[in-house]
Amino acid sequence: MKINEDNILNDMGEVCSLTYNPTYSKNKLFNDDVARLNHLYLVTYGKFFELYDYFNPYYDKFFCRDYEKDFTEYTYLISKYQKYYLEMSKNYLKILENNNFFYTYFNCKRTYSDLKMKELLLDFFNDEGTDKLKIVKSMFDEERVSTSSLENLDYVGFCTITDTNIKPYVVVDGIQDKNTLFQLVDFAHEFGHAIEASYMQNRYNEFYKLRNLPFSEVASMFYELEFLRYMQRNRINIKDTINAINDFHSFTSSFLEGLVYSDTKEIVEDDEKFISSSDDFYVNEERDIIRPFKKESDKDGLEYWLEFEFYRPLIYGLGSYLALHLSELKKQDPKEFNKAWNYYLSTRTLMSYEEIFNLFGLNVDEFVSGKLIEPTIKQDLENYRKQLIRKNDYKG
């Protein structure tokens, strides 16, 4: 399965044509779109565009305005909700610990042809709603979906979404016609980004598209998890599915552990122990946290500002944790959930945290406690243990 090269060429031509007469009113970062499509072309065809130099006189103004607006809000959200992020992380990790969580990586045994993979994904998104099916099917039909080697990159898939609202592309690391369940899950994840991008195409979201960045992985993680539940519900390749569900919990725990670690009071680097000297912190340009520490052995009391990764653990940890809750809410009342979910997809950037929680009827304290998702997590881990026991008994 490969993206049609003509699509990339035509879309790049469209973006470049918009750079000829840049205007303030367009409010588009065409420069970024050129870079995105160039990256896509390089990954899928090993080619890139050597483009003429052009200058959009409004680019810096747009970029600085959006970045400042985004950065200020992001810093505010961390200051206001950091204690909730930390508490939910600790509670989720405690649930795993209480249920003897462990994970041993196993390669998926079964592979799927591109045709079978497409069939399963379309059937799944049909269950999610005809509007979701239409978006994903059109991407397949228009050849905007590809498996390519991403071996040298630090991710297993991506969705190319442009500021000029060209239809998205989805690329997942893999080999054509040899897709494991993990590749199918990655496609479900990236299609989640494409679906949300389609829902957000209105002038209000255009202006606020960078708001609520901590929720930027919720839709993708939700569809990733729901695809696994679809496979489990329909008893399709159940051994690999149980393994992949446990992998979902492993993925979630790794990022939530990162959030917990960002609040650590002691750290050892190069055989030196550093002790946290205050609760102060600031957010750097990468949206990670910088905190003050003192060397235990230092008598002068000098402060050292140490960096902790926070942004990636937050968006993927919160995205996965919230996806687990949304999945439970969907079970309780699918019809009402779908109404709320469609509204969320269309207006996420326009809502506050409180409005999002109210939309889904989520109680903040119960959400942080993990009470709603604990029974399902317990069953997931039990299914995994039973499968390993059967596997070992068979070997014995």
Side-chain angles (χ1 to χ4, degrees), residues 189 217-225 248 251 316 319-320 323:
H189 178 107
E217 292 292 332
V218 170
S220 55
M221 295 308 303
F222 173 74
Y223 282 120
E224 179 175 326
L225 178 61
F248 184 94
F251 177 90
Y316 285 104
S320 303

Side-chain angles (χ1 to χ4, degrees), residues 153-342:
L153 302 175
D154 63 348
Y155 45 82
V156 295
F158 64 90
C159 180
T160 299
I161 298 171
T162 64
D163 292 305
T164 41
N165 291 329
I166 290 167
K167 187 170 286 189
Y169 293 90
V170 160
V171 179
V172 164
D173 184 38
I175 303 171
Q176 292 184 37
D177 275 320
K178 290 187 178 179
N179 306 286
T180 71
L181 179 58
F182 285 128
Q183 268 86 51
L184 271 67
V185 169
D186 291 337
F187 272 114
H189 178 107
E190 300 305 336
F191 281 130
H193 286 303
I195 288 169
E196 185 176 44
S198 177
Y199 268 80
M200 288 176 64
Q201 284 186 11
N202 62 67
R203 64 191 180 92
Y204 301 107
N205 279 316
E206 283 298 310
F207 188 74
Y208 294 105
K209 66 168 55 178
L210 294 179
R211 285 188 63 191
N212 283 335
L213 277 181
F215 288 91
S216 59
E217 292 292 332
V218 170
S220 55
M221 295 308 303
F222 173 74
Y223 282 120
E224 179 175 326
L225 178 61
E226 284 301 286
F227 179 72
L228 287 170
R229 297 303 184 198
Y230 157 84
M231 297 286 283
Q232 184 181 37
R233 188 169 59 250
N234 291 285
R235 305 293 297 176
I236 303 171
N237 192 6
I238 195 63
K239 290 182 180 180
D240 285 345
T241 299
I242 289 173
N243 178 38
I245 289 171
N246 211 53
D247 182 70
F248 184 94
H249 289 299
S250 177
F251 177 90
T252 305
S253 66
S254 67
F255 283 109
L256 294 183
E257 283 170 356
L259 287 184
V260 173
Y261 182 67
S262 73
D263 192 49
T264 187
K265 304 306 177 187
E266 294 183 4
I267 185 172
V268 176
E269 286 190 0
D270 299 326
D271 297 325
E272 284 277 7
K273 182 184 281 189
F274 292 81
I275 310 296
S276 174
S277 56
S278 79
D279 292 331
D280 294 338
F281 69 89
Y282 72 88
V283 180
N284 65 11
E285 290 185 359
E286 286 72 40
R287 304 188 183 97
D288 291 328
I289 283 180
I290 311 293
R291 296 176 50 217
F293 284 76
K294 292 181 179 179
K295 281 186 181 179
E296 187 178 52
S297 61
D298 194 341
K299 305 303 180 184
D300 296 329
L302 295 175
E303 279 196 330
Y304 299 82
W305 288 83
L306 305 181
E307 181 177 351
F308 293 85
E309 187 181 20
F310 194 86
Y311 180 61
R312 275 175 56 83
L314 176 60
I315 62 172
Y316 285 104
L318 177 62
S320 303
Y321 187 78
L322 185 51
L324 287 161
H325 283 78
L326 295 176
S327 182
E328 293 303 310
L329 294 175
K330 184 181 176 184
K331 288 181 196 174
Q332 294 174 4
D333 192 336
K335 187 175 180 180
E336 286 303 310
F337 173 83
N338 285 333
K339 287 181 184 177
W341 179 242
N342 289 341

Side-chain angles (χ1 to χ4, degrees), residues 12-30:
M12 181 62 88
E14 182 177 336
V15 172
C16 287
S17 70
L18 294 170
T19 67
Y20 298 148
N21 297 297
T23 63
Y24 187 87
S25 61
K26 288 180 181 177
N27 194 13
K28 302 289 186 184
L29 303 183
F30 303 129

Side-chain angles (χ1 to χ4, degrees), residues 78-128:
I78 292 177
S79 300
K80 185 174 182 180
Y81 297 110
Q82 186 185 32
K83 66 177 183 179
Y84 295 104
Y85 300 147
L86 295 173
E87 191 177 345
M88 77 174 195
S89 300
K90 291 173 183 176
N91 288 334
Y92 175 81
L93 295 171
K94 189 67 176 176
I95 292 171
L96 295 186
E97 181 185 347
N98 289 343
N99 287 281
N100 303 311
F101 171 75
F102 67 96
Y103 182 65
T104 303
Y105 179 80
F106 291 106
N107 286 323
C108 292
K109 299 295 184 183
R110 182 174 174 181
T111 61
Y112 301 86
S113 67
D114 289 346
L115 185 61
K116 184 61 179 177
M117 177 187 72
K118 176 182 175 181
E119 178 186 316
L120 285 169
L121 286 166
L122 291 180
D123 189 55
F124 161 66
F125 281 108
N126 184 51
D127 284 356
E128 296 299 307

